[in-house]
Amino acid sequence: DGERPPLLVFLHGGPTSACYPVFDARIQFWTQRGFAVADLNYRGSTGFGRRYRQRLHQQWGVVEVEDICALVHSLIEHDKVNPQQVCVRGASAGGYSALLAIAASPNFAAAASLYGVSDPDSLRKVTHKFEGDYLDWLLGSPEQFVVRAPLEQVAQINTPVIFFQGGRDVVVVPEQTADMVSALKQQGVTVAYHLYP
């Protein structure tokens, strides 16, 4: 009685995709084991009107991180979750936001990045034209590609992170994740890295 569950924050990829109120076996897996799960449609997510989605225009790495941190703060403040056991996980663009969230807030006990973007500038150099133009829409000026890179914010990260990466991923190439893992290890952060051929 009175025990609060650990929290796992799910972040969708996209980044202008969305999570939907339908059965999700991943969420069921965690809730059956006593975790609270928050599946977040941060500003920029699809399904809430054009104006809501446009909030991510040149603000990727800012507004969704604010929303992630505000969600966690609210759940802690309302005594809904254990403040010592808050985790965040995301894939691709969600991994990018998860990494920035742990750089922005000390409230996270752990994070998981599944083929998450850690260097948008490197991504822009290797990706196809549509994705490159999309990144310009999301980040704006070339300076923002650097400023909002999780790789550039490693000094602010103390949270343990687990990484999962595909060896043949042509969008988020394995070198990006390897660079992030190496930088975190040099910082003394606890890291686990799983590279799948």
Side-chain angles (χ1 to χ4, degrees):
D1 287 344
E3 184 180 354
R4 295 294 174 258
L7 172 66
L8 182 55
V9 179
F10 272 48
L11 304 175
H12 62 73
T16 54
S17 183
C19 57
Y20 300 98
V22 296
F23 175 77
D24 186 331
R26 300 169 309 159
I27 293 173
Q28 191 76 7
F29 175 88
W30 291 104
T31 56
Q32 285 183 336
R33 287 156 177 81
F35 283 74
V37 175
D39 203 6
L40 179 63
N41 277 318
Y42 49 75
R43 284 174 287 173
S45 300
T46 298
F48 301 92
R50 178 183 170 91
R51 188 170 173 212
Y52 192 78
R53 189 180 58 77
Q54 293 281 9
R55 292 300 307 268
L56 214 53
H57 177 61
Q58 296 186 1
Q59 294 300 308
W60 189 38
V62 176
V63 296
E64 87 279 11
V65 173
E66 291 172 353
D67 290 354
I68 296 161
C69 295
L71 164 74
V72 170
H73 178 76
S74 178
L75 290 172
I76 291 171
E77 201 160 77
H78 287 92
D79 199 29
K80 300 289 185 187
V81 298
N82 184 330
Q84 304 304 312
Q85 297 177 323
V86 177
C87 307
V88 61
R89 57 90 61 205
S92 191
Y96 168 81
S97 300
L99 292 171
L100 288 176
I102 63 174
S105 171
N107 285 331
F108 297 97
S113 173
L114 294 80
Y115 47 93
V117 177
S118 58
D119 186 354
D121 195 42
S122 292
L123 175 62
R124 187 172 190 260
K125 290 173 184 171
V126 299
T127 195
H128 47 81
K129 184 179 181 330
F130 171 77
E131 193 85 20
D133 292 344
Y134 185 43
L135 288 169
D136 290 342
W137 184 87
L138 289 166
L139 289 163
S141 68
E143 296 80 35
Q144 294 306 316
F145 278 74
V146 175
V147 170
R148 295 192 209 148
L151 191 57
E152 295 297 320
Q153 298 187 28
V154 167
Q156 283 82 44
I157 297 175
N158 297 307
T159 304
V161 187
I162 188 167
F163 291 88
F164 300 93
Q165 176 68 47
R168 293 185 183 176
D169 193 329
V170 295
V171 178
V172 179
V173 295
E175 291 77 20
Q176 236 190 90
T177 300
D179 289 347
M180 188 70 185
V181 167
S182 176
L184 287 170
K185 283 182 177 177
Q186 288 176 14
Q187 191 73 8
V189 177
T190 302
V191 177
Y193 179 37
H194 299 275
L195 178 64
Y196 299 96

